[in-house]
Short mmCIF file of all heavy atoms in Angstrom, two decimals:
data_model
loop_
_atom_site.label_atom_id
_atom_site.label_comp_id
_atom_site.label_asym_id
_atom_site.label_seq_id
_atom_site.Cartn_x
_atom_site.Cartn_y
_atom_site.Cartn_z
N GLU A 17 2.03 11.71 -13.67
CA GLU A 17 1.84 10.26 -13.61
C GLU A 17 0.45 9.86 -14.11
O GLU A 17 -0.52 10.55 -13.87
CB GLU A 17 2.00 9.74 -12.18
CG GLU A 17 3.38 9.88 -11.60
CD GLU A 17 3.64 11.23 -10.98
OE1 GLU A 17 2.83 12.16 -11.17
OE2 GLU A 17 4.67 11.36 -10.30
N LEU A 18 0.42 8.70 -14.76
CA LEU A 18 -0.87 8.13 -15.16
C LEU A 18 -1.35 7.25 -14.02
O LEU A 18 -0.56 6.53 -13.42
CB LEU A 18 -0.70 7.30 -16.43
CG LEU A 18 -0.16 8.04 -17.64
CD1 LEU A 18 0.19 7.06 -18.75
CD2 LEU A 18 -1.16 9.09 -18.13
N VAL A 19 -2.63 7.33 -13.73
CA VAL A 19 -3.19 6.54 -12.65
C VAL A 19 -4.28 5.63 -13.21
O VAL A 19 -5.17 6.07 -13.93
CB VAL A 19 -3.80 7.44 -11.55
CG1 VAL A 19 -4.48 6.60 -10.46
CG2 VAL A 19 -2.72 8.32 -10.92
N VAL A 20 -4.21 4.36 -12.87
CA VAL A 20 -5.29 3.43 -13.16
C VAL A 20 -5.92 3.07 -11.83
O VAL A 20 -5.23 2.56 -10.94
CB VAL A 20 -4.80 2.16 -13.89
CG1 VAL A 20 -5.98 1.22 -14.20
CG2 VAL A 20 -4.05 2.52 -15.16
N CYS A 21 -7.21 3.35 -11.69
CA CYS A 21 -7.81 3.16 -10.37
C CYS A 21 -8.89 2.07 -10.40
O CYS A 21 -9.66 1.97 -11.36
CB CYS A 21 -8.39 4.48 -9.86
SG CYS A 21 -8.86 4.40 -8.13
N ASN A 22 -8.93 1.33 -9.33
CA ASN A 22 -9.84 0.19 -9.23
C ASN A 22 -11.31 0.60 -9.27
O ASN A 22 -11.69 1.70 -8.89
CB ASN A 22 -9.53 -0.55 -7.91
CG ASN A 22 -10.18 -1.91 -7.84
OD1 ASN A 22 -10.44 -2.54 -8.87
ND2 ASN A 22 -10.42 -2.38 -6.63
N ILE A 23 -12.11 -0.33 -9.71
CA ILE A 23 -13.57 -0.20 -9.80
C ILE A 23 -14.21 0.15 -8.44
O ILE A 23 -13.69 -0.23 -7.40
CB ILE A 23 -14.13 -1.54 -10.31
CG1 ILE A 23 -15.62 -1.50 -10.54
CG2 ILE A 23 -13.79 -2.70 -9.38
CD1 ILE A 23 -16.15 -2.75 -11.24
N GLY A 24 -15.29 0.88 -8.50
CA GLY A 24 -16.11 1.09 -7.30
C GLY A 24 -15.68 2.31 -6.50
O GLY A 24 -15.27 3.32 -7.05
N PHE A 25 -15.76 2.19 -5.20
CA PHE A 25 -15.49 3.34 -4.33
C PHE A 25 -14.08 3.92 -4.47
O PHE A 25 -13.91 5.14 -4.38
CB PHE A 25 -15.81 3.00 -2.87
CG PHE A 25 -17.24 3.32 -2.53
CD1 PHE A 25 -18.20 2.32 -2.61
CD2 PHE A 25 -17.63 4.59 -2.18
CE1 PHE A 25 -19.53 2.60 -2.33
CE2 PHE A 25 -18.96 4.89 -1.90
CZ PHE A 25 -19.91 3.89 -1.98
N PRO A 26 -13.04 3.13 -4.68
CA PRO A 26 -11.71 3.76 -4.83
C PRO A 26 -11.72 4.80 -5.96
O PRO A 26 -11.18 5.90 -5.79
CB PRO A 26 -10.79 2.58 -5.14
CG PRO A 26 -11.47 1.41 -4.51
CD PRO A 26 -12.94 1.65 -4.64
N SER A 27 -12.33 4.46 -7.09
CA SER A 27 -12.40 5.43 -8.20
C SER A 27 -13.24 6.65 -7.82
O SER A 27 -12.87 7.80 -8.12
CB SER A 27 -12.96 4.79 -9.47
OG SER A 27 -11.94 4.12 -10.16
N ARG A 28 -14.34 6.43 -7.14
CA ARG A 28 -15.18 7.55 -6.71
C ARG A 28 -14.40 8.44 -5.73
O ARG A 28 -14.50 9.68 -5.78
CB ARG A 28 -16.46 7.03 -6.07
CG ARG A 28 -17.43 6.49 -7.09
CD ARG A 28 -18.55 5.70 -6.47
NE ARG A 28 -19.40 6.49 -5.59
CZ ARG A 28 -20.58 6.06 -5.11
NH1 ARG A 28 -21.03 4.87 -5.44
NH2 ARG A 28 -21.29 6.83 -4.32
N GLU A 29 -13.66 7.83 -4.86
CA GLU A 29 -12.88 8.61 -3.88
C GLU A 29 -11.78 9.41 -4.59
O GLU A 29 -11.59 10.58 -4.29
CB GLU A 29 -12.32 7.67 -2.80
CG GLU A 29 -13.44 7.10 -1.91
CD GLU A 29 -12.97 6.05 -0.91
OE1 GLU A 29 -11.76 5.76 -0.81
OE2 GLU A 29 -13.85 5.50 -0.21
N LEU A 30 -11.10 8.76 -5.52
CA LEU A 30 -10.05 9.50 -6.25
C LEU A 30 -10.67 10.66 -7.04
O LEU A 30 -10.15 11.77 -7.05
CB LEU A 30 -9.28 8.55 -7.19
CG LEU A 30 -8.26 9.21 -8.11
CD1 LEU A 30 -7.15 9.89 -7.29
CD2 LEU A 30 -7.64 8.20 -9.08
N TYR A 31 -11.79 10.36 -7.69
CA TYR A 31 -12.49 11.39 -8.47
C TYR A 31 -12.85 12.58 -7.57
O TYR A 31 -12.71 13.74 -7.96
CB TYR A 31 -13.73 10.78 -9.07
CG TYR A 31 -14.64 11.73 -9.82
CD1 TYR A 31 -14.27 12.20 -11.09
CD2 TYR A 31 -15.85 12.14 -9.29
CE1 TYR A 31 -15.11 13.06 -11.78
CE2 TYR A 31 -16.70 13.00 -9.98
CZ TYR A 31 -16.32 13.46 -11.22
OH TYR A 31 -17.15 14.32 -11.91
N SER A 32 -13.27 12.29 -6.35
CA SER A 32 -13.69 13.39 -5.48
C SER A 32 -12.52 14.14 -4.85
O SER A 32 -12.62 15.34 -4.63
CB SER A 32 -14.67 12.92 -4.40
OG SER A 32 -13.97 12.28 -3.39
N VAL A 33 -11.41 13.45 -4.63
CA VAL A 33 -10.27 14.21 -4.04
C VAL A 33 -9.45 14.94 -5.10
O VAL A 33 -8.99 16.06 -4.87
CB VAL A 33 -9.33 13.37 -3.12
CG1 VAL A 33 -10.04 12.79 -1.95
CG2 VAL A 33 -8.56 12.33 -3.87
N ARG A 34 -9.28 14.33 -6.27
CA ARG A 34 -8.52 15.04 -7.32
C ARG A 34 -8.77 14.42 -8.69
O ARG A 34 -8.06 13.48 -9.11
CB ARG A 34 -7.02 15.02 -6.98
CG ARG A 34 -6.26 15.88 -7.95
CD ARG A 34 -4.83 16.13 -7.55
NE ARG A 34 -4.15 16.80 -8.63
CZ ARG A 34 -2.86 16.69 -8.91
NH1 ARG A 34 -2.09 15.95 -8.15
NH2 ARG A 34 -2.33 17.33 -9.92
N ASP A 35 -9.76 14.96 -9.36
CA ASP A 35 -10.01 14.48 -10.72
C ASP A 35 -8.99 15.12 -11.67
O ASP A 35 -8.63 16.29 -11.50
CB ASP A 35 -11.44 14.88 -11.15
CG ASP A 35 -11.77 14.38 -12.54
OD1 ASP A 35 -11.36 13.24 -12.87
OD2 ASP A 35 -12.42 15.12 -13.31
N ARG A 36 -8.50 14.35 -12.60
CA ARG A 36 -7.55 14.86 -13.61
C ARG A 36 -7.60 13.93 -14.81
O ARG A 36 -7.93 12.74 -14.67
CB ARG A 36 -6.12 14.98 -13.03
CG ARG A 36 -5.65 13.69 -12.41
CD ARG A 36 -4.56 13.89 -11.37
NE ARG A 36 -3.23 13.93 -11.92
CZ ARG A 36 -2.55 12.83 -12.31
NH1 ARG A 36 -3.10 11.63 -12.26
NH2 ARG A 36 -1.32 12.95 -12.79
N PRO A 37 -7.29 14.45 -16.02
CA PRO A 37 -7.39 13.59 -17.23
C PRO A 37 -6.47 12.38 -17.16
O PRO A 37 -6.75 11.36 -17.81
CB PRO A 37 -6.94 14.54 -18.36
CG PRO A 37 -7.09 15.91 -17.82
CD PRO A 37 -6.91 15.84 -16.33
N GLU A 38 -5.40 12.49 -16.38
CA GLU A 38 -4.46 11.36 -16.28
C GLU A 38 -4.97 10.22 -15.41
O GLU A 38 -4.28 9.23 -15.20
CB GLU A 38 -3.10 11.84 -15.72
CG GLU A 38 -2.32 12.80 -16.59
CD GLU A 38 -2.74 14.26 -16.40
OE1 GLU A 38 -3.70 14.53 -15.63
OE2 GLU A 38 -2.10 15.13 -17.03
N ASN A 39 -6.18 10.39 -14.86
CA ASN A 39 -6.78 9.31 -14.05
C ASN A 39 -7.66 8.43 -14.94
O ASN A 39 -8.57 8.95 -15.59
CB ASN A 39 -7.69 9.87 -12.94
CG ASN A 39 -6.93 10.65 -11.89
OD1 ASN A 39 -5.70 10.67 -11.87
ND2 ASN A 39 -7.69 11.28 -11.01
N PHE A 40 -7.38 7.15 -14.96
CA PHE A 40 -8.29 6.24 -15.66
C PHE A 40 -9.09 5.49 -14.60
O PHE A 40 -8.57 4.66 -13.87
CB PHE A 40 -7.51 5.25 -16.54
CG PHE A 40 -8.42 4.33 -17.33
CD1 PHE A 40 -9.25 4.84 -18.32
CD2 PHE A 40 -8.48 2.99 -17.04
CE1 PHE A 40 -10.12 4.01 -19.02
CE2 PHE A 40 -9.34 2.13 -17.75
CZ PHE A 40 -10.16 2.66 -18.73
N TYR A 41 -10.38 5.84 -14.52
CA TYR A 41 -11.27 5.18 -13.58
C TYR A 41 -11.77 3.92 -14.25
O TYR A 41 -12.54 4.00 -15.21
CB TYR A 41 -12.45 6.09 -13.21
CG TYR A 41 -12.01 7.47 -12.72
CD1 TYR A 41 -12.23 8.61 -13.49
CD2 TYR A 41 -11.35 7.59 -11.50
CE1 TYR A 41 -11.83 9.85 -13.05
CE2 TYR A 41 -10.95 8.86 -11.05
CZ TYR A 41 -11.19 9.97 -11.84
OH TYR A 41 -10.77 11.22 -11.40
N MET A 42 -11.32 2.80 -13.78
CA MET A 42 -11.64 1.54 -14.43
C MET A 42 -12.97 1.07 -13.87
O MET A 42 -13.07 0.54 -12.77
CB MET A 42 -10.49 0.56 -14.16
CG MET A 42 -10.40 -0.56 -15.12
SD MET A 42 -11.52 -1.81 -14.67
CE MET A 42 -10.92 -2.12 -13.02
N LEU A 43 -14.03 1.32 -14.62
CA LEU A 43 -15.38 1.22 -14.09
C LEU A 43 -16.02 -0.19 -14.15
O LEU A 43 -17.05 -0.41 -13.55
CB LEU A 43 -16.32 2.21 -14.79
CG LEU A 43 -15.96 3.70 -14.65
CD1 LEU A 43 -17.02 4.55 -15.34
CD2 LEU A 43 -15.84 4.09 -13.20
N GLY A 44 -15.42 -1.09 -14.91
CA GLY A 44 -16.14 -2.34 -15.09
C GLY A 44 -15.38 -3.61 -14.74
O GLY A 44 -15.92 -4.52 -14.14
#
Side-chain angles (χ1 to χ4, degrees):
E17 294 86 348
L18 300 171
V19 176
V20 181
C21 192
N22 193 26
I23 184 171
F25 271 95
S27 276
R28 286 167 63 168
E29 291 174 3
L30 175 62
Y31 176 74
S32 79
V33 300
R34 187 169 172 211
D35 181 39
R36 53 204 272 284
E38 294 85 356
N39 293 352
F40 182 67
Y41 307 110
M42 202 277 303
L43 298 183

